[in-house]
Structure formats: structure tokens, C-alpha cells
Amino acid sequence: MTTPHRTGASAGPRAGGSRTGGSRAGGSRRRQVQGGAPLPLLVPALIGLAFLVLPLVALLIRAPWASMPELLTSTEVWQALRLSLICATAATVVSMVIGVPLAWLLARVEFPGRGLVRALVTLPLVLPPVVGGVALLMALGRNGVVGQWLDSWFGITLPFTTTGVILAEAFVAMPFLVISVEGTLRAADPRYEEAATTLGASRFTAFRRVTLPLIAPGIAAGAVLAWARALGEFGATITFAGNFPGRTQTMPLAVYLALQSDPEAAVALSLVLLAVSVAVLAGLRDRWMTAS
């Protein structure tokens, strides 16, 4: 009988202390809000914000708004825009078809070297895109490790074709989808899949009927990220697929080419890509732009 009394007696001051501590913490937070950030932190923070925002503002200021309709309706721009949308969408589909199973493998199956496989999957995120293009040439080029057999056996040549653009964009964009889907899979409760297999469903049926609906938001977010990354791809595309108008010249390549001959057209094309990026960010605002 004495133990609960002692516990309660000892818990009282603790609880009071907790309330006091919570009150002090709340007061501290209020003082931080009222006092603002320290100057040594505020100044570099504002410089960092200006460093990120100023180029975008300059792009808007220097945009040739009066001639924008004429610039954006030219044949070259529409070719580059149409090719960019087609290739980015196709690259996203390729990434989903082979990236979602890869993410499931990384999230659900224990196997030796899983950490190494995950590192290899994320390597294109930090790999310079030009290096990625060279690697694709070494693998799928006409004299590449696999490409020579594709050429001699099936007559398939991938570099400097529209298919090459899709492969280059998928190479750099798929890690975004894999990471997003793997994170969603790890957050999803695996007991639903176990319950389905217990009731007689195969692992693939459980994946198709149970897991996919559960992780659909993560797949959608990853697909949007992959599509946006593919749309803005430059280095691997120009290295592996070249820059041929109407066949491999996407919007980033058109911007690069226009910058050398017609800077106003380059700014107009850049605004189109900027608008797409802002639209993607707005679409994912619930995932990345919430404070909590």
C-alpha cells in the first residue's frame, strides 16, 4: 500500500515539473518567435535564399514577354516540346515498370548485398549526367558491351535515336521513383500482404491486389518526380542521343542551342521548363511543402 503512495507522491512533483517544463518550453518557443533569429544565422540564411531565388527572378525580369507568343509557337519549339513530353512520359513508364518491382525487392526481401544494390540504384542521383551518358554508350552503343550484340543479332541501334533519349532519361530519373516507392513500402504495414498470402493468395497476387493499392500515392509521387527529372535531363541525353532537331532534340537541348544564337528564345524556353517545375512542386506540396 505504501508503494503506490510513494509513487504518487513522487509523481506529483514530477508531473508538476513536467507541466512547468512544458510551460517553460512553450514560453521559450514564444520568446524565439518574438525575438527572431540571431543575426549570425539570419544573414547567411537570407543570402542563401537570395542565391536560390535571384536567378529565377532575373529570368522573369529579362523574359521577352512581348514576343513570347511568337517565340513559343515556332516549329522548332513545338518539336522540342512535343518530343520532350513524349520521351519524359515514356521514360517514366519504363521507370515504373522496372522500378516498382526493384523498390519492392529492396523493401521487402532480405538478400546478401542489399545495401550495395541500394547504393548502386541511387548512384545515378550523384553521378554527373555526362558520365551517365558515356556509361550508356559503353553499354548500349554500337560497340558497347550489350549494344554490339543488339546491332549484330537484331539490327537494333540505340544511340542517337529517340529510343536513346528515352533510355537516357530513364537512367537518370528512375532512382527518384525507386527511392519514393521504397520509402512508401517501408511505411506500409506488411501484415496486410501476410494476411493475403495466409488466405491463399500468391505473393504476386498479394503484391498486385494488396500492396499496389496501398502504395499508390507513393508511386504517383515518385512518377511525378521521375517525369520532371526526365523532362529536364540534358547531359546524358546529349551524350548518348545527340542533338538532332525533331528526333533527339528535347527542350533542355533546345535551350542550350538557342542560347548560342537567340538568347530571347532560350529565355522563353526556360520559362516553359520553369512553369513545369513549379507545377510539379505545387502538385507535391502536401508531400514537401508542409511545415510539419
Side-chain angles (χ1 to χ4, degrees):
M1 294 298 292
T2 56
T3 302
H5 175 72
R6 288 175 181 173
T7 304
S10 60
R14 287 178 186 172
S18 176
R19 286 194 296 270
T20 304
S23 176
R24 287 175 178 173
S28 175
R29 285 194 293 270
R30 286 192 293 272
R31 282 194 297 274
Q32 287 177 0
V33 172
Q34 293 171 359
L39 193 60
L41 294 179
L42 182 61
V43 172
L46 292 178
I47 293 175
L49 179 62
F51 176 72
L52 294 176
V53 174
L54 184 59
L56 304 180
V57 174
L59 192 65
L60 295 173
I61 292 174
R62 293 299 181 89
W65 296 107
S67 57
M68 188 73 72
E70 181 183 356
L71 291 171
L72 294 181
T73 53
S74 65
T75 304
E76 293 79 9
V77 171
W78 276 110
Q79 278 185 347
L81 181 60
R82 182 178 63 84
L83 189 65
S84 293
L85 294 176
I86 291 174
C87 291
T89 304
T92 304
V93 172
V94 171
S95 299
M96 291 176 67
V97 170
I98 59 180
V100 172
L102 179 57
W104 180 85
L105 194 70
L106 291 174
R108 288 287 192 265
V109 181
E110 293 281 351
F111 59 91
R114 187 170 66 165
L116 177 61
V117 173
R118 182 180 291 111
L120 292 175
V121 168
T122 56
L123 187 59
L125 292 177
V126 296
L127 190 71
V130 174
V131 178
V134 173
L136 285 172
L137 275 177
M138 295 300 103
L140 302 176
R142 182 166 290 180
N143 297 318
V145 175
V146 178
Q148 59 178 331
W149 303 112
L150 292 176
D151 186 30
S152 60
W153 289 358
F154 306 105
I156 297 176
T157 303
L158 296 174
F160 309 110
T161 62
T162 304
T163 304
V165 176
I166 296 171
L167 293 178
E169 292 181 350
F171 179 78
V172 299
M174 193 174 71
F176 289 88
L177 183 132
V178 173
I179 290 175
S180 177
V181 175
E182 185 191 359
T184 306
L185 277 167
R186 290 185 180 279
D189 194 340
R191 288 179 295 180
Y192 293 108
E193 299 173 51
E194 296 170 1
T197 55
T198 303
L199 294 174
S202 65
R203 295 294 299 272
F204 180 69
T205 301
F207 170 77
R208 183 168 54 87
R209 303 290 297 272
V210 177
T211 307
L212 277 182
L214 280 176
I215 64 173
I219 294 176
V224 172
L225 286 175
W227 185 82
R229 179 64 184 88
L231 191 68
E233 215 300 305
F234 177 84
T237 302
I238 197 171
T239 306
F240 184 62
N243 184 19
F244 301 102
R247 191 173 68 185
T248 65
Q249 187 181 83
T250 57
M251 286 287 283
L253 303 184
V255 171
Y256 176 75
L257 191 65
L259 194 60
Q260 303 174 29
S261 58
D262 189 356
E264 288 192 348
V267 173
L269 294 175
S270 300
L271 283 178
V272 174
L273 294 178
L274 176 62
V276 172
S277 302
V278 172
V280 170
L281 194 61
L284 296 175
R285 63 187 183 281
D286 292 336
R287 192 175 182 87
W288 282 352
M289 296 181 65
T290 53
S292 60

